Amino acid sequence: MTMRRSTAIAAAFIAALALGTTSAQAQGTLRIGMTSVDVPTTGGIPNNGGEGYRFLGFPAYDALVNWELKEKQDDIANVRPGLAESWSSDPKDRTKWVFKLRSGVKFHDGSAFTADAVMFNMRRVFDEKAPEYDAPAAPIVKSQLSMVDRWEKIDDMTIAIYTKTPFAYFPYMITRLLMVSPTQYEKVGKNWVEFGKAPSGTGPFKITKVTPRVSAELAKNADYWDKDRIPKLDRMILYPMPEPTTRLAALRSGQVDWIEVPPPDAIQSLKQAGFEINLKPYPHTWPYVFNTVSPKSPFTDKRVRQAMNYAVDRQALVQLLNGTAKPAAGLYPPESTYFGKPENRYSYDPEKAKALLKEAGYGPGKPVKAKIMVSTAGSGQMLPLPMNELIQQMLKPIGIELDFEVVEWGTMLVAVRSAPDSAPSMGVDAINISLGFADPSTMYRYYHSDSKSPTNWNWAHFSNPKADALLMAAQTEFDEEKQLDLLAKAHAIIVDEAPWLFIVHDLNPRALSKKVVGFSPAQSWSQDFTTISMAK
């Protein structure tokens, strides 16, 4: 995105906000400034990564299994029954998962949720020959649920989903598949674009109005099936605002009540002005995912990858972010039970980095040269341009010269789901993308050989037989203690092999007006908006 275009979009946001301020100040309306460039898609498969699911996924839709966002606030969010009252893995066939569906649930259009609706949603994502297959959106879900093999209706309120191999973490994964109304799809002419204009889910909020590039509005679903989670708010209005200064200006002027990722240098003044600054660790990491397979990529050499991990001053980045992140030493933080005992504990050690580069054949007259895909903004991306500029500056004296391919967030999400040698990847040597570790299957998706993109999220095309064996054993192990031991051993190997540059973990900063009451942040990429009300 050019600076001129970015400025024009910011001006449009401010104009739209100014026009809508009077109506938006109605009692019980929460207005949020997101980091996304555009309104995430609204048809039940949101784009824009975790932010899309946070604001226009889980509030308006349910999955068979939902995230538990109210309990265990001091731990990573777990799962709870959603549209399935219960589920189980068949002891005689661990590839078979049986889901008992919740009765009495209605979609926003009034139609009933049944097993047939689940079958419809499965075909939307996985059956390329089905008339309802959603080719543009399906890969967003399919890349997360690549283990799904087939499905069947057992009766009107029971379904079975089969995985290709035993997959102990499957209940965590099925949270990605949100249920939409087949009746509404028929009503709008069997067209997913039209469905997105008048969507229908089962969630606690209804999407009522979408203005591309400007806003999306959601209203309370007073008939929500979970009576404990009927929203206190009347409405939520979501505004895409990729520029931090635009979000800040909108908050200070009272045009929004909540912004994601306030500019770090404004945090102290916001506190002094009476705004709440909300920080909470959550399952987030901000790495460079290295291209480990293309012959031209310097990151095919493990020594170069390790050198990068010793060459970055993570504390300087934390300082740039005014303490809203913490240093990363792996996918998981060192205090995690999944971290294991790697031989390498990455810290800022430029001399060790230089020694590794020398061993790999680089030196003062032959620097490492690499092109990195970076985004202008995006879900969990924090301040990607200033952060990458600082990394570029700190690496050059060590003998690593970075060039950047700057893209919008949606472009990056397409790239990371594609192969590293494909056109969407633009020939880069690494992708700087925020990623999560919300469930135990995370490492399998990011690092197992079977998960190489475009099948799943291993864009690095990293392959290590020992890690593969441990990750496969863990996903087929239904004893949690044994599973944990296998995952910790796999993580130690991954840290030492360094398929990623592990940089920082975000602390999920957001700034809230003192009018926002009842928000209790969960350690999750999603949040519960049903507890929130607005003070007069």
Side-chain angles (χ1 to χ4, degrees):
M1 178 189 289
T2 65
M3 185 62 70
R4 181 178 297 175
R5 182 183 174 199
S6 179
T7 302
I9 290 172
F13 287 144
I14 293 296
L17 284 167
L19 289 171
T21 297
T22 301
S23 63
Q25 288 177 337
Q27 182 181 355
T29 298
L30 173 64
R31 301 160 299 168
I32 297 176
M34 304 180 291
T35 68
S36 58
V37 172
D38 198 355
V39 176
T41 47
T42 53
I45 303 180
N47 61 7
N48 279 277
E51 191 170 52
Y53 269 83
R54 181 183 308 136
F55 291 118
L56 285 163
F58 298 120
Y61 299 94
D62 292 299
L64 296 175
V65 180
N66 287 344
W67 291 107
E68 176 54 81
L69 302 175
K70 286 187 177 181
E71 299 176 359
K72 297 182 180 179
Q73 297 294 312
D74 294 327
D75 200 357
I76 293 174
N78 210 320
V79 293
R80 63 177 177 83
L83 294 177
E85 290 183 326
S86 64
W87 58 86
S88 60
S89 171
D90 187 338
K92 296 180 181 179
D93 178 4
R94 286 298 191 182
T95 69
K96 181 180 181 181
W97 289 86
V98 176
F99 294 85
K100 298 288 185 180
L101 305 184
R102 191 177 299 278
S103 62
V105 175
K106 300 285 187 182
F107 286 102
H108 297 153
D109 58 29
S111 61
F113 170 74
T114 64
D116 288 332
V118 179
M119 298 296 100
F120 170 87
N121 281 274
M122 295 297 291
R123 293 192 298 269
R124 178 192 185 183
V125 171
F126 298 105
D127 186 354
E128 297 183 12
K129 296 181 180 179
E132 59 267 43
Y133 180 69
D134 190 352
I140 295 174
V141 178
K142 199 185 302 186
S143 64
Q144 300 278 350
L145 288 166
S146 60
M147 74 295 297
V148 168
D149 184 40
R150 58 189 176 92
W151 53 94
E152 67 179 355
K153 174 183 173 181
I154 296 175
D155 58 44
D156 283 348
M157 301 308 294
T158 312
I159 61 105
I161 302 176
Y162 294 81
T163 56
K164 295 171 184 174
T165 62
F167 205 94
Y169 325 125
F170 190 63
Y172 292 94
M173 307 308 300
I174 202 66
T175 57
R176 275 76 169 177
L177 183 64
L178 304 179
M179 295 291 146
V180 308
S181 167
T183 300
Q184 185 69 2
Y185 176 74
E186 294 274 345
K187 183 178 179 180
V188 299
K190 300 181 180 180
N191 183 296
W192 287 116
V193 173
E194 294 302 312
F195 181 89
K197 297 175 184 178
S200 177
T202 63
F205 289 90
K206 302 177 181 180
I207 299 170
T208 55
K209 183 179 180 181
V210 181
T211 307
R213 292 276 181 183
V214 176
S215 65
E217 297 187 19
L218 297 88
K220 173 197 296 191
N221 177 12
D223 299 319
Y224 186 51
W225 58 266
D226 186 346
K227 301 309 177 187
D228 292 335
R229 295 189 66 246
I230 294 176
K232 294 179 171 61
L233 291 169
D234 296 318
R235 286 197 304 164
M236 283 202 302
I237 305 178
L238 308 170
Y239 298 99
M241 297 182 177
E243 293 293 327
T245 53
T246 304
R247 296 195 297 275
L248 179 63
L251 180 67
R252 282 181 164 159
S253 65
Q255 293 172 320
V256 298
D257 311 293
W258 165 319
I259 61 172
E260 299 285 283
V261 195
D265 58 2
I267 285 177
Q268 191 57 39
S269 64
L270 285 170
K271 288 181 179 178
Q272 292 170 351
F275 294 96
E276 178 186 347
I277 302 300
N278 189 283
L279 295 176
K280 186 88 172 186
Y282 74 120
H284 170 282
T285 190
W286 192 82
Y288 283 6
V289 179
F290 293 135
N291 180 341
T292 68
V293 291
S294 296
K296 73 174 189 64
S297 172
F299 304 125
T300 57
D301 191 322
K302 179 174 72 172
R303 294 166 296 187
V304 178
R305 303 195 300 263
Q306 290 177 334
M308 286 278 281
N309 274 284
Y310 283 111
V312 170
D313 186 349
R314 296 166 178 82
Q315 289 294 348
L317 286 160
V318 170
Q319 186 176 356
L320 172 70
L321 296 168
N322 199 12
T324 61
K326 62 180 183 179
L331 171 64
Y332 295 98
E335 64 269 20
S336 170
T337 51
Y338 294 115
F339 189 80
K341 298 177 181 178
E343 294 179 7
N344 290 269
R345 291 296 294 265
Y346 299 120
S347 59
Y348 184 46
D349 191 340
E351 295 308 313
K352 187 164 188 173
K354 290 177 183 177
L356 284 163
L357 291 177
K358 183 178 180 180
E359 185 180 330
Y362 296 94
K366 186 185 177 184
V368 172
K369 294 186 178 183
K371 179 176 282 189
I372 316 299
M373 182 181 289
V374 304
S375 69
T376 54
S379 174
Q381 289 293 83
M382 298 177 286
L383 299 179
L385 298 183
M387 292 170 72
N388 275 291
E389 287 168 1
L390 180 56
I391 292 172
Q392 184 184 51
Q393 293 166 15
M394 66 177 63
L395 292 185
K396 189 170 182 178
I398 294 171
I400 303 170
E401 296 181 2
L402 301 184
D403 187 20
F404 297 130
E405 184 72 50
V406 182
V407 301
E408 289 186 356
W409 181 229
T411 302
M412 178 174 285
L413 290 174
V414 173
V416 82
R417 293 195 298 266
S418 306
D421 60 353
S422 66
S425 293
M426 301 183 185
V428 298
D429 303 303
I431 295 181
N432 168 224
I433 182 169
S434 52
L435 295 166
F437 47 90
D439 59 80
S441 71
T442 298
M443 282 192 286
Y444 185 89
R445 296 200 308 277
Y446 294 156
Y447 306 116
H448 196 281
S449 298
D450 289 347
S451 294
K452 291 176 181 177
S453 58
T455 299
N456 213 301
W457 280 70
N458 182 1
W459 183 86
H461 281 211
F462 170 71
S463 178
N464 180 280
K466 290 183 179 179
D468 278 357
L470 288 164
L471 292 172
M472 181 60 77
Q475 80 163 29
T476 59
E477 178 56 70
F478 285 72
D479 182 296
E480 290 188 7
E481 287 190 13
K482 293 178 181 178
Q483 186 186 96
L484 174 60
D485 180 63
L486 291 164
L487 291 172
K489 289 175 179 175
H491 187 261
I493 292 172
I494 289 160
V495 169
D496 288 332
E497 290 292 315
W500 293 3
L501 167 57
F502 305 106
I503 306 175
V504 293
H505 301 295
D506 186 18
L507 294 182
N508 207 11
R510 47 178 60 96
L512 284 62
S513 161
K514 54 188 174 184
K515 293 181 180 180
V516 180
V517 178
F519 175 56
S520 179
Q523 290 197 38
S524 171
W525 282 70
S526 187
Q527 297 297 329
D528 188 357
F529 298 100
T530 67
T531 64
I532 297 171
S533 60
M534 299 298 294
K536 295 182 181 179

